Amino acid sequence: MTDETTTEQDAAPEPLSEADRPLVEQYDAGLFDLDGVVYVGADAVPRAPEDLERARAAAMKVAFVTNNASRTPDAVVEHLRKVGVRAEVGDVVTSAQAAARLVAERVPVGSRVLVVGGEGLLVAIRERGLVPVRTAAEDPAAVVQGFHPEVGWRQLAEGAYAVRRNVPWIASNVDRTLPTDGGLAPGNGTLVEVIRMATGQTPVIAGKPAPPLFRETVERVGAERPLVIGDRLDTDIEGANAAGMPSMLVLTGVSKLADLLTAPENQRPTYLARDLAGLFASHPAPRAGDGSATCGEWTATLERQDAAGADGRKGQLVVRLSGSGDPLDGARALLAAVWTATEPARIDASEALALLRGQDAAMG
């Protein structure tokens, strides 16, 4: 079995593109990631509930998109309401639902499907007219796998028995880690790897950064001009680019400006914002060329210094940033200048980052 994430798609938008009017006026639907964008754990991101209401008032459809396959949409809605966000079940799209669609495209209605996961997957499989089972002895026509904290050796073994029969194998997502109160814990990707190593097979992926979850959301909400809003480069932004959809990275979650400096091309966002207020603003595009870039009143320039740099190498490239005005424009200039280099990771940007951090806490 092969990974079907490389299907024909629209080209990814240019990173740090220009928007001469607010994004809510250009896109008819916002595909919002949850943790790090709308809330962080048990608390809403500051002003996020109000900004989501503003987006709805501007006629933008609001969809909440999550890689978490363990929770049902009802459970997600309950959590959203607890943090002050208005939401209905139809607003939530999970990787379990996207995975169930991929299964339904491969087996007839009424087929038995072995579920390696929890309630979120069980509900999604039933919604597609399929019959969830728990053992390979029940002769399943497919295997679907998603994270649940109670998945253990027995479920993984049953999944491996079935996958070895070359039935379709769909994974909700392959996130290697999962944030918990105690820190980062193994995610579904590590559990998928157990079955992959035991069978030599590779699953079809439904969740971010693969396109199916975004396409499932677009179909469910009837979006024509969707915008993906996320806080992680390796899931939200990479997934949006893979699906050929524009994206806005917010700096309220996992990925920060320093991460963006070394982001590969497929993880660079269309727009950059501190938080969801970026939906109601225009976005200038930096002008870059020959080792320098400008945006607003800011200029970033690559220079080769004579003394040894931060890594001890003499002649290291350093990015110099100067200007005033909105620090976000400074960040755009900085990124555009660094991205002109063939090896962005080898550029010393510490001085420029410190300057921006001193002016805007979101740039941390």
Side-chain angles (χ1 to χ4, degrees):
M1 187 180 302
T2 59
D3 184 343
E4 299 181 9
T5 62
T6 56
T7 55
E8 184 177 347
Q9 61 195 40
D10 295 331
E14 287 295 318
L16 300 182
S17 294
E18 181 178 10
D20 57 4
R21 65 185 195 276
L23 299 182
V24 290
E25 297 179 10
Q26 299 191 52
Y27 300 100
D28 69 341
L31 279 53
F32 295 85
D33 180 54
L34 289 173
D35 206 345
V37 175
V38 177
Y39 55 72
V40 177
D43 300 309
V45 169
R47 298 179 301 281
E50 294 84 357
D51 285 334
L52 289 166
E53 285 305 304
R54 288 177 65 195
R56 285 190 170 106
M60 174 179 268
K61 299 173 184 176
V62 171
F64 301 107
V65 184
T66 177
N67 255 9
N68 189 333
S70 66
R71 293 191 295 174
T72 64
D74 296 88
V76 174
V77 166
E78 182 180 357
H79 184 65
L80 284 167
R81 290 174 177 172
K82 284 181 179 178
V83 301
V85 173
R86 179 165 63 92
E88 304 297 333
V89 170
D91 301 331
V92 176
V93 185
T94 72
S95 62
Q97 292 171 317
R101 176 186 290 272
L102 292 179
V103 174
E105 291 172 350
R106 289 161 170 77
V107 301
V109 172
S111 297
R112 289 185 290 273
V113 178
L114 193 151
V115 174
V116 181
E119 186 67 16
L121 275 177
L122 294 171
V123 170
I125 287 295
R126 292 188 185 106
E127 285 179 347
R128 290 289 175 181
L130 303 168
V131 180
V133 298
R134 287 297 195 181
T135 68
E138 294 169 274
D139 196 24
V143 175
V144 64
Q145 182 174 3
F147 177 81
H148 191 275
E150 295 182 3
V151 169
W153 183 88
R154 176 54 62 189
Q155 280 198 48
L156 292 170
E158 293 295 339
Y161 301 152
V163 169
R164 279 188 171 277
R165 300 173 187 169
N166 290 317
V167 300
W169 176 26
I170 312 298
S172 65
N173 66 295
V174 287
D175 296 5
R176 292 194 178 274
T177 59
L178 179 75
T180 70
D181 292 339
L184 288 179
N188 194 54
T190 61
L191 302 177
V192 167
E193 191 67 8
V194 171
I195 294 181
R196 190 194 68 78
M197 292 181 67
T199 63
Q201 301 293 318
T202 301
V204 176
I205 311 302
K208 299 178 279 187
L213 177 54
F214 291 124
R215 293 174 180 159
E216 177 79 7
T217 306
V218 165
E219 181 166 332
R220 283 176 178 261
V221 303
E224 296 181 357
R225 301 180 309 281
L227 174 68
V228 174
I229 301 99
D231 71 306
R232 290 188 65 134
L233 299 176
D234 59 348
T235 54
D236 306 315
I237 306 307
E238 182 177 338
N241 286 332
M245 297 180 187
S247 62
M248 183 178 83
L249 179 76
V250 294
L251 299 173
T252 50
V254 173
S255 297
K256 299 299 182 184
L257 185 56
D259 302 308
L260 266 172
L261 287 169
T262 57
E265 290 185 16
N266 68 334
Q267 293 182 9
R268 296 174 184 175
T270 317
Y271 308 109
L272 176 65
R274 294 174 182 82
D275 51 31
L276 294 183
L279 292 170
F280 313 100
S282 58
H283 291 252
R287 297 186 299 276
D290 197 23
S292 67
T294 61
C295 188
E297 301 176 24
W298 293 86
T299 299
T301 305
L302 299 183
E303 298 179 1
R304 193 170 299 279
Q305 62 181 20
D306 295 330
D311 61 359
R313 293 196 309 271
K314 193 172 182 178
Q316 181 181 22
L317 277 176
V318 176
V319 59
R320 307 293 186 190
L321 182 65
S322 61
S324 60
D326 187 349
L328 207 55
D329 287 345
R332 295 180 178 110
L334 171 63
L335 292 168
V338 170
W339 289 346
T340 65
T342 55
E343 296 183 272
R346 302 183 71 173
I347 296 173
D348 183 356
S350 56
E351 181 181 303
L353 287 170
L355 174 62
L356 291 175
R357 288 187 188 116
Q359 298 197 25
D360 195 324
M363 299 302 170

